[in-house]
């Protein structure tokens, strides 16, 4: 089971959204990290077959997904960033409708719906209109529809946006469980969503994949560059302007504890710490809003 | 099939569809009953004698004895009767005839006097030759005289176009004579009203169908559907099929109900009457029943064509509002074109639009009864009602194919 992305490019007029991306994606959870506008959604929509690449191809088990057509879509599921649904549908009607679209027969549909109503904790709201559910519950319906056909490839675009921390953990666990012998690709700019469950990560910037690998391998790029230290409150503003600060915490009115990435220690009391994916992300995107502390 | 049924369930239970259908039904009922209620039979001073259902019943009752073919013998007999009454009260002017006598004797035969009146005109003044001057000889050859008068009647419209005049005469040869007489009171207004409701129904239907694809693009529901096994061709077909079915069901509910109401109150006798009883120079070889059938068929085809058009627009636009505006503009286009021009080119454009059979004065009823439009393409001439009927038959499959293609290839 392998999804191969061969040199794909997507142009919108003069703007290049995805720039010659090549990747081989095997089973497991894949985190696609990148700032807003990095090209993650465009790349995912090309993998989903919604967008046609300007150049290059996406192949599943070495066959172009365009040629596979229905056979590919039968093994595939996608949850876009905005979960669009019909306002007239309740949860059960919606799942029945999508199950039919996914080619499940009546018997399979019934079984799968019952299964996912339980797994997703939707049983009590099965007759409720989706539009009346909370954002978190709507996302659960979105995930449930994506899992109905037992897909070999599951692509989720920002699946946890707008969710509270508890629900984020809940989704992570479900996806982690589901990912055995499947390709699960999660696009996000929230590093913690994939840090603990992704077997592999791909980091995207300006339409290109700039790094691919396991979390531990990726973070070796900044091994010895992540520090924790203390700066005085008065100096913090200037410190933040010059250094990539990952985290800050006020100790008291005069001192601030900081975690930062830099080539050399920037304070006398700094000590080197083991890097995390979040550190790497911020280091890579230090020139963007998110990299300057806009990270969730 | 299961997908189609689920799509039907979704569309037919949506608030928008229920609202549009309810609105259309209420308007249909309101217009039907207000039209029937508005029918009046008045005396010559325009005082109401009968109103609504009573007027329709009365008109049918007085026409019943004379129902049948308008043979020359009947025309002569009615003309003689008219002249006798006119003479009896002196001065050859109906004004002197007492109202009771007029209502009793003249009203039942009025159409037999009026129909020849449009044919027999003075060659010097152009005025109608009065009944007392119409001889038995003239009335014996009424149908020949009518045919002979036809070129003059249409000459103003087609001054130098012999081909068009020939085409009119050719169609006219298919007329069945003698004309068939029955009370048509109510039917003329009924057909106009049905045409108007078809127009309103078109608005209601595109309100629903113009968002079929574009709404999914906007909410990104399309992204989930498109990536499923049956998310392209089968779903596209289901969506198109459901929309067309919605249009057909709405049409049968509203227009079917209206037709049933009119048939019940105006009676079916009028449907046997030749359209020439109302418009003697009309060239359509039809009865009012045929005209009703043509209107219903043209209305249905046009509704399907405009639905298909709205689906095509919807499949190509990302916002339902834009899709709705374009569809509404298309519905209004024939009415606007009629107001601007009735030239050959304007007529071709108007009638070949998906909304060609719609409009305040643009239904097939007007093409048959009010206009004598012969359209030319090269040396071939076509009578406009045929274009109204054929254009949507050609357009519907083309629009559906383009919609399907556009939906499948759409990238969002």
């Amino acid at each position: 089971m392998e999804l191969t992305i061969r040199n794909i490019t997507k142009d919108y007029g003069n703007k290049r959204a995805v720039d010659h991306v090549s990747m081989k994606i095997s089973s497991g959870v894949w985190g696609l990290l990148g700032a807003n506008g990095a090209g993650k959604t465009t790349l995912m929509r090309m993998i989903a077959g919604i967008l046609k690449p300007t150049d290059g191809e996406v192949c599943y088990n070495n066959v172009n997904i365009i040629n596979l057509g229905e056979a590919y879509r039968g093994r595939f599921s996608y949850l876009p960033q905005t979960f669009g649904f019909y306002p007239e549908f309740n949860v059960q009607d919606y799942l029945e409708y999508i199950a039919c679209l996914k080619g499940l027969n009546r018997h399979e549909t019934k079984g799968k719906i019952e299964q996912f109503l339980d797994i997703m904790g939707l049983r009590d709201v099965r007759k409720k209109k989706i539009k009346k559910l909370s954002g978190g519950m709507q996302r659960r319906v979105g995930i449930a529809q994506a899992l109905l056909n037992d897909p070999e490839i599951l692509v989720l675009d920002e699946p946890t946006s707008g969710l509270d921390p508890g629900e984020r953990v809940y989704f992570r666990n479900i996806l982690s469980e589901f990912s055995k012998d499947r390709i699960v690709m999660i696009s996000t700019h929230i590093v913690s969503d994939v840090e603990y469950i992704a077997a592999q990560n791909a980091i995207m910037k300006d339409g290109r994949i700039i790094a691919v690998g396991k979390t531990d391998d990726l973070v070796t790029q900044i091994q010895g560059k992540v520090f924790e230290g203390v700066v005085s409150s008065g100096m913090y503003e200037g410190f933040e302007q010059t250094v990539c600060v990952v985290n800050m915490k006020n100790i008291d009115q005069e001192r601030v504890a900081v975690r930062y990435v830099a080539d050399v220690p920037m304070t006398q009391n700094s000590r080197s710490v083991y890097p995390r994916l979040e550190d790497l992300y911020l280091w890579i995107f230090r020139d963007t809003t998110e990299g300057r502390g806009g990270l969730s | 099939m299961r997908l189609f049924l689920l799509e039907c369930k979704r569309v037919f239970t949506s608030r928008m569809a229920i609202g549009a259908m309810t609105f259309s039904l209420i308007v249909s009922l309101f217009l039907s009953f207000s039209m029937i209620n508005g029918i009046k039979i008045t005396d010559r001073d325009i005082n109401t004698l009968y109103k609504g259902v009573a007027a329709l019943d009365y008109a049918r009752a007085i026409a019943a004895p004379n129902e049948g073919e308008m043979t020359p013998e009947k025309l002569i007999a009615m003309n003689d009767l008219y002249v006798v009454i006119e003479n009896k009260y002196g001065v050859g002017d109906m004004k002197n005839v007492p109202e009771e006598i007029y209502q009793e004797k003249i009203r039942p035969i009025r159409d037999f006097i009026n129909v020849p009146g449009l044919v027999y005109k003075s060659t010097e003044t152009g005025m109608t030759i009065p009944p007392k001057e119409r001889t038995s000889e003239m009335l014996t050859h009424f149908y020949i005289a009518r045919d002979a008068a036809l070129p003059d009647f249409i000459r103003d419209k087609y001054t130098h176009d012999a081909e068009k005049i020939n085409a009119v005469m050719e169609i006219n040869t298919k007329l069945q004579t003698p004309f068939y007489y029955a009370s048509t009171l109510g039917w003329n207004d009924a057909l106009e009203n049905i045409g108007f409701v078809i127009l309103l129904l078109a608005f209601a239907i595109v309100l629903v169908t113009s968002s079929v694809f574009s709404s999914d693009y906007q909410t990104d529901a399309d992204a989930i559907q498109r990536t499923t096994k049956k998310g392209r061709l089968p779903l596209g077909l289901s969506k198109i099929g459901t929309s067309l079915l919605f249009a057909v069901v709405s049409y049968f509910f509203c227009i079917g109900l209206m037709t049933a109401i009119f048939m019940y109150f105006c009676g079916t006798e009028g449907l046997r009457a030749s359209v020439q009883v109302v418009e003697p120079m009309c060239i359509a070889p039809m009865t009012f029943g045929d005209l009703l059938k043509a209107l219903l068929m043209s209305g249905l085809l046009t509704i399907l064509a405009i639905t298909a058009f709205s689906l095509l627009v919807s499949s190509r636009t990302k916002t339902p509002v834009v899709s709705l505006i374009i569809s509404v503009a298309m519905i209004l286009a024939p009415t606007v074109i009629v107001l601007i021009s009735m030239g050959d080119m304007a007529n071709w454009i108007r009638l070949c639009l998906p909304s060609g059979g719609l409009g305040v004065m643009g239904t097939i009823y007007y093409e048959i009864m009010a206009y004598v439009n012969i359209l030319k393409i090269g040396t071939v001439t076509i009578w406009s009602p045929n274009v109204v009927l054929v254009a949507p038959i050609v357009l519907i499959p083309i629009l559906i194919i383009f919609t399907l293609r556009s939906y499948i290839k759409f990238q969002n």
Side-chain angles (χ1 to χ4, degrees):
Chain A
M1 185 191 302
E2 190 174 68
L3 196 64
T4 314
I5 298 166
R6 285 200 192 112
N7 206 25
I8 59 170
T9 297
K10 182 70 186 176
D11 294 334
Y12 293 105
N14 294 328
K15 194 177 179 299
R16 180 153 287 184
V18 172
D19 192 0
H20 294 97
V21 168
S22 292
M23 274 169 85
K24 280 195 174 183
I25 303 169
S26 49
S27 60
V29 176
W30 281 70
L32 181 62
L33 291 163
N36 288 327
K40 304 186 300 288
T41 297
T42 306
L43 177 62
M44 291 206 142
R45 288 174 99 85
M46 285 192 285
I47 292 171
I50 298 168
L51 286 177
K52 215 172 159 186
T54 308
D55 201 8
E57 61 177 359
V58 180
C59 295
Y60 182 59
N61 293 338
N62 284 320
V63 185
N64 191 315
I65 60 166
I66 295 169
N67 299 333
L68 282 172
E70 258 193 38
Y72 177 69
R73 297 199 303 274
R75 296 167 187 179
F76 181 90
S77 255
Y78 177 59
L79 178 65
Q81 192 172 354
T82 316
F83 171 47
F85 53 85
Y86 293 120
E88 55 272 17
F89 271 145
N90 63 34
V91 174
Q92 181 153 347
D93 286 345
Y94 177 73
L95 292 177
E96 270 175 22
Y97 184 81
I98 297 293
C100 181
L101 278 174
K102 287 175 184 272
L104 273 65
N105 63 35
R106 280 176 204 276
H107 182 69
E108 289 170 329
T109 299
K110 205 176 165 213
K112 284 284 175 191
I113 288 176
E114 292 303 321
Q115 181 189 345
F116 285 108
L117 286 175
D118 280 336
I119 293 174
M120 294 293 164
L122 292 166
R123 185 163 289 284
D124 293 343
V125 294
R126 66 195 295 169
K127 292 290 176 193
K128 228 177 172 182
K129 294 253 164 101
I130 303 175
K131 65 178 175 184
K132 294 197 172 160
L133 300 179
S134 67
M137 291 300 254
Q138 286 185 359
R139 279 272 143 189
R140 288 185 192 205
V141 179
I143 300 274
Q145 70 77 24
L147 301 180
L148 276 174
N149 59 329
D150 220 357
E152 289 173 14
I153 309 154
L154 176 62
V155 173
L156 307 162
D157 194 357
E158 307 273 3
T160 57
S161 61
L163 297 184
D164 60 45
E167 293 202 298
R168 287 232 275 274
V169 172
Y170 180 78
F171 280 123
R172 281 208 300 254
N173 294 339
I174 286 176
L175 294 175
S176 189
E177 257 181 63
F178 181 78
S179 66
K180 283 165 200 148
D181 300 323
R182 290 182 176 87
I183 294 170
V184 178
M185 195 168 193
I186 303 169
S187 130
T188 186
H189 59 278
I190 303 167
V191 181
S192 57
D193 276 355
V194 291
E195 188 166 19
Y196 303 110
I197 60 167
Q200 299 272 348
N201 297 291
I203 300 175
M204 213 173 168
K205 190 180 181 187
D206 299 330
R208 294 180 183 185
I209 298 288
I210 54 168
V212 182
K214 291 178 180 158
T215 303
D216 287 344
D217 296 338
L218 284 173
V219 296
T220 55
Q221 291 180 36
I222 51 168
Q223 185 78 52
K225 290 182 181 175
V226 184
F227 303 95
E228 281 181 354
V230 176
V231 292
S232 69
S233 300
M235 287 175 66
Y236 177 73
E237 204 174 313
F239 185 81
E240 191 199 33
Q241 297 289 324
T242 52
V243 178
C244 174
V245 176
V246 179
N247 200 16
M248 65 83 80
K249 186 183 171 187
N250 287 313
I251 301 170
D252 52 38
Q253 285 200 331
E254 287 167 2
R255 292 177 306 154
V256 177
V258 289
R259 180 185 176 98
Y260 63 95
V261 189
D263 289 325
V264 291
M266 302 297 283
T267 63
Q268 294 263 321
N269 54 20
S270 289
R271 64 185 177 89
S272 179
V273 292
Y274 189 75
R276 295 196 311 243
L277 192 58
E278 190 176 45
D279 302 321
L280 175 69
Y281 182 93
L282 286 174
W283 177 248
I284 290 169
F285 292 98
R286 60 189 177 275
D287 52 342
T288 67
T289 310
E290 286 172 65
R292 287 195 298 270
L295 193 74
S296 306
Chain B
M1 191 61 190
R2 193 167 136 237
L3 181 58
F4 177 71
L5 292 175
L6 283 169
E7 186 64 17
C8 283
K9 182 181 168 190
R10 185 184 76 73
V11 170
F12 281 83
T13 56
S14 71
R15 212 182 266 188
M16 183 84 92
I18 292 170
M21 213 188 257
T22 308
F23 168 78
S24 308
L25 264 176
I26 291 169
V27 169
S28 308
L29 287 171
F30 174 76
L31 283 178
S32 305
F33 286 112
S34 63
M35 187 219 90
I36 288 166
N37 201 40
I39 289 173
K40 286 176 187 171
I41 288 179
T42 62
D43 62 17
R44 284 170 293 165
D45 293 326
I46 321 177
N47 298 312
T48 304
L49 298 174
Y50 299 96
K51 196 169 179 293
V53 178
L56 290 166
D57 289 345
Y58 175 72
R60 286 209 301 274
I62 61 169
N66 295 324
E67 184 178 335
E69 291 183 340
M70 289 176 110
T71 57
E73 292 75 24
K74 254 190 189 171
L75 289 173
I76 293 165
M78 301 296 181
N79 197 69
D80 288 349
L81 181 62
Y82 185 94
V83 173
V84 166
I85 293 167
E86 202 175 41
N87 289 340
K88 188 176 173 185
Y89 292 93
V91 280
D93 189 336
M94 272 292 146
K95 281 178 194 165
N96 297 317
V97 178
E99 191 61 40
E100 318 83 73
I101 303 293
Y102 180 86
Q103 292 299 334
E104 185 191 339
K105 305 281 188 190
I106 301 297
R107 180 174 284 281
I109 63 166
R110 217 167 46 171
D111 288 332
F112 289 82
I113 305 302
N114 290 344
V115 169
L118 267 153
V119 172
Y120 296 116
K121 292 195 172 169
S122 162
T123 47
E124 291 160 13
T125 62
M127 302 284 282
T128 298
I129 295 172
K132 66 183 174 188
E133 291 175 25
R134 297 175 199 166
T135 63
S136 299
E137 174 72 12
M138 284 164 77
L139 291 169
T140 302
H141 300 108
F142 165 72
Y143 290 103
I144 296 167
R146 181 196 163 277
D147 291 351
L150 192 56
D152 279 340
F153 185 74
I154 55 172
R155 191 149 288 147
D156 288 346
K157 191 173 169 73
Y158 298 130
T159 319
H160 300 296
D161 205 328
E163 281 177 3
K164 287 189 176 180
I165 293 172
N166 288 341
V168 169
M169 298 310 290
E170 176 67 28
I171 297 163
N172 186 63
T173 57
K174 291 169 189 154
L175 273 193
Q176 269 211 318
T177 55
F179 300 149
Y180 192 91
Y181 173 76
S183 168
T184 57
L185 187 67
W187 275 112
N188 224 15
D189 291 338
L191 296 176
E192 279 190 56
N193 268 281
I194 288 174
F196 183 63
V197 171
I198 291 172
L199 176 68
L200 294 181
L201 191 60
F203 286 116
I205 288 169
V206 300
L207 190 67
V208 176
T209 57
S210 61
S211 63
V212 164
F213 295 107
S214 53
S215 170
D216 290 353
Y217 298 156
Q218 192 178 47
T219 62
D220 217 14
D222 175 70
I224 293 175
Q225 294 162 9
R226 189 172 289 276
T227 51
T228 59
K229 194 173 179 181
K230 296 184 179 178
R232 298 195 181 190
L233 184 66
L235 182 61
L237 281 171
S238 293
K239 280 178 183 284
I240 292 169
T242 306
S243 300
L244 294 176
L245 182 67
F246 174 72
V248 171
V249 170
S250 304
Y251 188 84
F252 277 106
F253 259 106
C254 297
I255 306 301
L257 186 67
M258 268 187 110
T259 308
I261 290 169
F262 289 137
M263 285 176 93
Y264 182 77
F265 289 107
C266 300
T268 52
E269 301 93 325
L271 298 176
R272 294 193 287 268
S274 305
V275 292
Q276 285 75 17
V277 170
V278 175
E279 291 289 343
M281 301 311 279
C282 177
I283 58 169
M286 287 179 162
T287 62
F288 266 88
D290 298 330
L291 183 55
L292 174 66
K293 280 182 213 159
L295 178 64
L296 294 180
M297 181 53 73
S298 153
L300 179 61
L301 289 171
T302 310
I303 286 286
L304 289 175
I306 194 69
T307 303
F309 175 78
S310 73
L311 290 171
L312 175 62
V313 176
S314 183
S315 71
R316 299 183 72 86
T317 46
K318 288 183 186 177
T319 42
V321 175
V322 173
S323 171
L324 180 64
I325 289 169
I326 295 170
S327 302
V328 166
M330 177 55 81
I331 293 173
L332 293 173
T335 305
V336 174
I337 294 171
V338 163
L339 295 175
I340 293 170
S341 169
M342 282 292 275
D344 233 21
M345 182 59 80
N347 278 330
W348 266 119
I349 294 170
R350 176 172 64 89
L351 299 174
C352 288
L353 291 174
S355 50
L358 296 174
V360 178
M361 292 188 298
T363 61
I364 198 168
Y365 166 81
Y366 286 93
E367 295 300 328
I368 290 170
M369 294 292 274
Y371 319 133
V372 184
N373 275 331
I374 301 292
L375 306 177
K376 271 174 86 172
I377 183 160
T379 54
V380 179
T381 51
I382 306 170
W383 187 34
S384 63
N386 292 331
V387 181
V388 177
L389 283 169
V390 172
I393 293 173
V394 175
L395 280 173
I396 291 165
I398 293 173
L399 290 168
I400 288 172
I401 290 166
F402 275 101
T403 302
L404 210 48
R405 189 174 173 276
S406 170
Y407 170 64
I408 290 169
K409 287 186 175 288
F410 192 84
Q411 295 190 48
N412 196 7

